[in-house]
Amino acid sequence: MTLTVRQVAMLVALFVATSTTLILLDHQQRLDTVKAPANRLAGAAESALSQALDRVSWPGRGSQSELEAQLEALRAERDRLLAENARLKELEQEVIQLREQLGFKQQNPDLTLVPANVIAYDPDALQQAIVIDRGANAGIQVGMPVVSPDFLVGLVTEVEADRARVTLLIDSSMQIGALLQESRAEGIVYGQWQRGGLLELRHLDPNTPVREGELVVTSGRTARVPPGLVIGAVYGGEREVEASELRLAVRPLVDYKALRSVSVILTSEDQ
């Protein structure tokens, strides 16, 4: 039979009271005739109390392993939900980018677009580039622009049968004809990856009016690149009087690390 904690407490109190009484009587030498039987009785009581303590149902005592198993199951379920949530967020990001690319295609029906998935990107590489899963078999050629979806990402620089390498605008090797959308002043955008991933618009007239945040778009002066593709926004600048030009820092509007899909604009050599 299993005893409750309250029952055991009552037994302990009774044992203590009995023991105290016997000690007092022994000091008064009133137990000489009954000491031996009393010792046997006390031993029996102690033994009974020990057995009772072994049978008591202390909270959590017998269920420690069960609690640990439940905690382990909860941790596993938590980890599964976290992983599932991460996968859903990735799918949501892909859906958003694909929907935006579809909208870009609808707004530019004259452009032929080839959708592609980004399969590689090393942000710490010396050359800033991504690899996509479409290549020559899809009609992609070197020099074609890549967008996501309204912003220019870079240019195709290497092509294989089923993949291609896209050098990003921020790479130091990139030069794209560009203009300020409001003033229409033309210049050339240079990649400036070493300067925190910014671009630089050069060769502008030093008297060109400019507004912080003004959009910079392609001018159509670069082969294969149509005009009006958004490159970035003015982030600041300096007027070099001696060089007789205005240089503007341009912040890209593309988060290269978040790219999951892009579109390649198919163009002809003589366009």
Side-chain angles (χ1 to χ4, degrees):
M1 179 183 67
T2 301
L3 299 178
T4 65
V5 174
R6 184 176 180 180
Q7 291 172 328
V8 171
M10 293 177 63
L11 287 174
V12 171
L14 179 60
F15 178 78
V16 171
T18 303
S19 300
T20 302
T21 302
L22 291 175
I23 292 171
L24 291 174
L25 292 175
D26 183 50
H27 285 171
Q28 297 175 8
Q29 297 182 351
R30 297 181 180 181
L31 294 178
D32 292 342
T33 57
V34 295
K35 184 175 291 187
N39 287 337
R40 289 194 297 268
L41 180 60
E46 182 180 358
S47 177
L49 181 60
S50 177
Q51 294 176 9
L53 289 174
D54 290 337
R55 294 197 303 268
V56 67
S57 55
W58 299 103
R61 181 179 179 182
S63 58
Q64 183 66 27
S65 59
E66 181 180 349
L67 288 175
E68 290 177 353
Q70 292 176 356
L71 287 174
E72 186 62 30
L74 289 174
R75 292 192 191 99
E77 179 65 12
R78 177 205 60 190
D79 293 344
R80 186 190 68 79
L81 291 175
L82 287 175
E84 183 66 20
N85 187 50
R87 284 192 293 268
L88 290 175
K89 286 185 177 179
E90 289 299 308
L91 289 174
E92 180 184 13
Q93 185 67 23
E94 291 181 12
V95 169
I96 291 174
Q97 292 185 8
L98 290 172
R99 186 184 297 118
E100 290 174 343
Q101 290 173 31
L102 178 60
F104 180 78
K105 171 61 178 175
Q106 293 173 343
Q107 295 171 9
N108 300 272
D110 55 322
L111 298 179
T112 301
L113 302 178
V114 175
N117 295 314
V118 177
I119 58 177
Y121 172 51
D122 183 2
D124 297 322
L126 294 178
Q127 185 180 34
Q128 293 296 289
I130 58 175
V131 178
I132 58 176
D133 63 353
R134 305 296 292 274
N137 292 340
I140 294 175
Q141 300 175 9
V142 171
M144 289 181 173
V146 178
V147 295
S148 178
D150 301 303
F151 308 129
L152 184 62
V153 172
L155 300 179
V156 176
T157 51
E158 296 179 20
V159 178
E160 299 178 15
D162 58 354
R163 65 181 55 198
R165 185 180 183 86
V166 179
T167 300
L168 303 177
L169 282 182
I170 57 175
D171 188 78
S172 57
S173 66
M174 294 297 290
Q175 300 179 21
I176 300 289
L179 57 81
L180 293 169
Q181 191 177 51
E182 296 176 14
S183 68
R184 312 306 291 177
E186 291 192 31
I188 298 177
V189 162
Y190 293 83
Q192 296 283 316
W193 174 58
Q194 297 85 349
R195 294 180 55 187
L198 294 176
L199 306 167
E200 188 174 54
L201 178 58
R202 303 177 188 170
H203 313 305
L204 295 172
D205 186 286
N207 297 317
T208 300
V210 62
R211 176 181 59 83
E212 186 83 6
E214 182 175 354
L215 290 180
V216 178
V217 300
T218 56
S219 63
R221 304 288 188 181
T222 302
R224 293 183 178 273
V225 181
L229 299 177
V230 178
I231 294 175
V234 174
Y235 189 69
E238 56 185 9
R239 302 178 190 272
E240 298 189 358
V241 179
E242 295 182 0
S244 298
E245 72 169 348
L246 169 65
R247 293 189 175 190
L248 298 176
V250 179
R251 176 174 53 84
L253 299 180
V254 177
D255 184 358
Y256 299 110
K257 295 180 181 180
L259 285 177
R260 298 294 180 271
S261 59
V262 295
S263 293
V264 182
I265 301 178
L266 298 189
T267 56
S268 59
E269 284 282 353
D270 56 354
Q271 186 171 2

